[in-house]
Amino acid sequence: MFQLSLVDHLRLTFGHVVYRQRAHSQLALSLSRWSRRLRAAEVMVMIGVAFTAGAAAVTNNYAYAVASASLAGTAVVMLLAGLMMELDVSAQTHLVCAGRLWLIRERYRALMTDLVDGAIDLEGARQGRDLLMNDLHTIYERSSLVRQEAYQSASKAVAGFDDVTLSDEEIDHFLPKSLQKTTKTGA
């Protein structure tokens, strides 16, 4: 029969929260970088428009006018693409989600510490777990507004694998020694 202790369940959920928090943080960073690159490219194209338009005005050369019009069209397309992709909004959404998940992950760590230290009993830990699960559910509902394809690709990049279950060793990296499972069982 399959048995999962309360501490095992808390560790497992903690691992999922760590994984998702890292994925949202990574995606927020990636989207903000792409947004900055797009804006820098728009600025460069607009500088090109200014120079070629100025050269067309001074030299009355048709080639400069065509180049200026082409660059202006490119700038408009880039601007529209940036507005449609909403990179800044998506990055901010992922950043907020990552921040909320960070708080949840710290609350899970504190709950496990309180349980191991005996500051709360099993019933208190279960109540704390249930509250955290409700808070986590609310965060996941709100984060479902972000593009799932982008989140999935960031998740794979962060973890390096498709499964969102972290091993005990990976979870232990985020916990103090007193809450580590592999240190206790290996000692």
Side-chain angles (χ1 to χ4, degrees):
M1 172 159 285
F2 178 73
Q3 287 193 319
L4 185 67
S5 73
L6 178 60
V7 173
D8 288 337
H9 183 251
L10 292 173
R11 285 176 53 84
L12 182 63
T13 308
F14 174 80
H16 283 278
V17 172
V18 167
Y19 176 88
R20 289 177 183 262
Q21 187 270 329
R22 291 174 64 200
H24 280 285
S25 294
Q26 185 67 32
L27 192 52
L29 179 63
S30 176
L31 289 170
S32 67
R33 283 181 179 159
W34 276 108
S35 177
R36 281 193 303 274
R37 289 176 186 147
L38 181 61
R39 279 189 261 137
E42 288 173 8
V43 167
M44 297 304 291
V45 171
M46 291 305 295
I47 289 171
V49 169
F51 280 122
T52 55
V58 171
T59 64
N60 209 13
N61 188 331
Y62 179 75
Y64 285 126
V66 170
S68 179
S70 297
L71 287 173
T74 302
V76 168
V77 168
M78 291 173 72
L79 177 65
L80 290 174
L83 290 173
M84 287 174 32
M85 288 188 289
E86 295 183 323
L87 294 174
D88 289 332
V89 172
S90 294
Q92 187 63 30
T93 301
H94 284 288
L95 189 61
V96 167
C97 187
R100 288 181 178 148
L101 288 172
W102 180 269
L103 178 61
I104 292 290
R105 120 186 202 177
E106 291 304 308
R107 288 172 57 197
Y108 265 102
R109 191 184 337 233
L111 181 63
M112 286 186 282
T113 301
D114 288 346
L115 182 61
V116 169
D117 288 348
I120 58 174
D121 60 0
L122 286 176
E123 187 56 36
R126 285 186 181 99
Q127 289 173 355
R129 175 203 57 198
D130 293 344
L131 288 172
L132 283 170
M133 287 174 60
N134 287 334
D135 292 347
L136 196 55
H137 177 72
T138 301
I139 291 170
Y140 290 158
E141 275 184 336
R142 290 183 183 159
S143 70
S144 69
L145 301 175
V146 298
R147 295 184 336 217
Q148 288 302 315
E149 318 84 52
Y151 173 76
Q152 292 299 331
S153 66
S155 295
K156 289 176 185 176
V158 166
F161 52 87
D162 294 333
D163 190 10
V164 296
T165 303
L166 298 178
S167 69
D168 283 331
E169 292 83 12
E170 291 169 318
I171 293 171
D172 284 348
H173 287 310
F174 300 98
L175 293 171
K177 286 192 185 282
S178 61
L179 295 176
Q180 292 180 3
K181 189 173 193 175
T182 55
T183 303
K184 288 181 181 177
T185 58

